[in-house]
């Protein structure tokens, strides 16, 4: 007769710890945070994770023409605003560390979202159309005249801010964003030094909120935006 051996022999017999078992309730919800502040922080980090993934999928959909341009722009702008608002919080920023660190921690492969966050604007705001030029303002009626006035005022407001010594990222970035958005409403044509507006927006976007441009950077920025303003006006003739 074959002698049967125990399946998993052990050198010592196992005696359950009834005291420990009594303290474990399998029906009890596991708490990931002990305090309200910890829960809020975890919620914020989870929201950042969701925004990054959403942006990456949004960029893929836009490249495949699977989403309308207006819908893409609206969702992208809203997502970027939410992202910036979350990481602006001091507590969240400390835990977040940085985009690259966050991606590495959670094993995120999101190259399109990474680029969009680096730029800080939807693709529709960055890239001018290479197609045929639209009708000139003189032939397009009053609405375009209003849009041109708004764009002109945004250029002037931004340049005045520089001359008044406003050099912080949180002072200049919103004003320069207004410039590119109002310009895009007037024309989708590329023009001399339009790219300078975009490059400065990217530069400002990568700065900390209270970080300031140097005097040399401010002079260069004023020169570039002045040149872009002249280029914009040349498209209207």
């Amino acid at each position: 007769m074959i002698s049967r051996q125990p399946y998993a022999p052990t050198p010592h017999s196992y005696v359950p710890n009834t005291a420990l078992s009594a303290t474990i309730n399998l029906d009890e919800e596991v708490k990931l945070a002990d305090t309200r502040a910890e829960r809020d922080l975890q919620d914020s980090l989870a929201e950042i994770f969701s925004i990054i993934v959403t942006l990456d999928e949004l960029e893929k959909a836009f490249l495949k023409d699977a989403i309308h341009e207006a819908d893409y722009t609206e969702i992208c702008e809203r997502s970027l605003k939410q992202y910036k608002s979350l990481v602006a919080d001091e507590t969240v920023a400390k835990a977040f560390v940085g985009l690259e660190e966050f991606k590495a921690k959670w094993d995120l492969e999101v190259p399109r979202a990474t680029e969009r966050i680096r730029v800080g604007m939807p693709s529709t705001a960055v890239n001018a159309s290479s197609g045929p030029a639209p009708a000139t303002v003189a032939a397009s009626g009053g609405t375009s005249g209003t849009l041109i006035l708004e764009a002109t005022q945004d250029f002037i407001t931004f340049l005045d801010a520089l001359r008044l010594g406003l050099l912080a990222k949180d002072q200049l970035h919103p004003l320069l964003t207004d410039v590119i958005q109002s310009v895009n409403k007037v024309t989708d044509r590329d023009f001399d030094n339009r790219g300078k507006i975009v490059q400065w927006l990217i530069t400002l976007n990568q700065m900390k909120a209270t970080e300031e441009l140097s005097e040399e950077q401010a002079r260069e920025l004023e020169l570039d935006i002045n040149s872009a303003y002249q280029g914009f006006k040349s498209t209207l003739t």
Side-chain angles (χ1 to χ4, degrees):
M1 179 180 294
I2 299 174
S3 176
R4 297 182 179 274
Q5 297 294 329
Y7 180 72
T10 56
H12 306 287
S13 59
Y14 170 69
V15 179
N17 186 335
T18 55
L20 177 62
S21 301
T23 63
I24 301 175
N25 183 355
L26 298 179
D27 295 324
E28 184 178 353
E29 181 180 356
V30 177
K31 293 183 178 181
L32 300 177
D34 295 325
T35 67
R36 175 65 181 272
E38 289 176 348
R39 289 195 297 272
D40 288 345
L41 175 59
Q42 290 176 356
D43 287 345
S44 295
L45 294 174
E47 184 67 19
I48 291 173
F49 184 99
S50 176
I51 289 170
I52 293 172
V53 173
T54 297
L55 279 172
D56 204 67
E57 293 301 319
L58 180 66
E59 292 295 314
K60 292 177 185 177
F62 184 61
L63 288 173
K64 295 176 181 178
D65 289 328
I67 184 172
H68 192 276
E69 185 175 299
D71 293 333
Y72 160 80
T73 302
E74 179 185 353
I75 296 171
C76 188
E77 287 180 343
R78 183 172 65 247
S79 298
L80 288 171
K81 285 179 181 178
Q82 291 171 339
Y83 173 87
K84 292 173 184 177
S85 176
L86 286 165
V87 298
D89 181 271
E90 185 176 350
T91 302
V92 175
K94 185 177 180 180
F96 178 69
V97 182
L99 180 56
E100 293 303 320
E101 291 82 359
F102 189 80
K103 290 193 304 178
K105 180 178 181 179
W106 298 106
D107 195 24
L108 283 171
E109 292 289 340
V110 284
R112 294 174 181 83
T114 301
E115 177 63 12
R116 190 56 47 219
I117 290 171
R118 184 187 75 85
V119 172
M121 296 175 292
S123 177
T124 47
V126 174
N127 302 314
S129 171
S130 58
T136 61
V137 175
S140 59
T143 302
S144 292
T146 301
L147 294 176
I148 284 187
L149 179 60
E150 291 177 357
T152 300
Q153 289 175 336
D154 286 336
F155 268 112
I156 293 172
T157 298
F158 181 81
L159 291 168
D160 283 347
L162 280 176
R163 290 161 186 157
L164 289 171
L166 302 183
L167 302 177
K169 178 259 184 80
D170 59 357
Q171 296 170 323
L172 295 177
H173 190 273
L175 297 178
L176 196 54
T177 299
D178 289 343
V179 171
I180 195 67
Q181 289 178 341
S182 60
V183 162
N184 288 343
K185 290 177 184 178
V186 174
T187 178
D188 60 0
R189 294 166 57 189
D190 200 2
F191 54 82
D192 289 345
N193 294 298
R194 181 188 184 279
K196 294 289 187 180
I197 303 175
V198 174
Q199 288 302 316
W200 276 110
L201 276 167
I202 294 172
T203 298
L204 290 168
N205 184 60
Q206 294 175 330
M207 294 168 57
K208 296 179 181 178
T210 56
E211 189 177 350
E212 294 189 351
L213 297 174
S214 66
E215 291 184 5
E216 182 179 353
Q217 285 177 310
R219 287 193 295 270
E220 183 180 354
L221 174 55
E222 181 179 356
L223 179 62
D224 287 342
I225 300 306
N226 244 321
S227 298
Y229 181 34
Q230 300 306 315
F232 168 71
K233 290 195 295 184
S234 71
T235 67
L236 308 178
T237 57

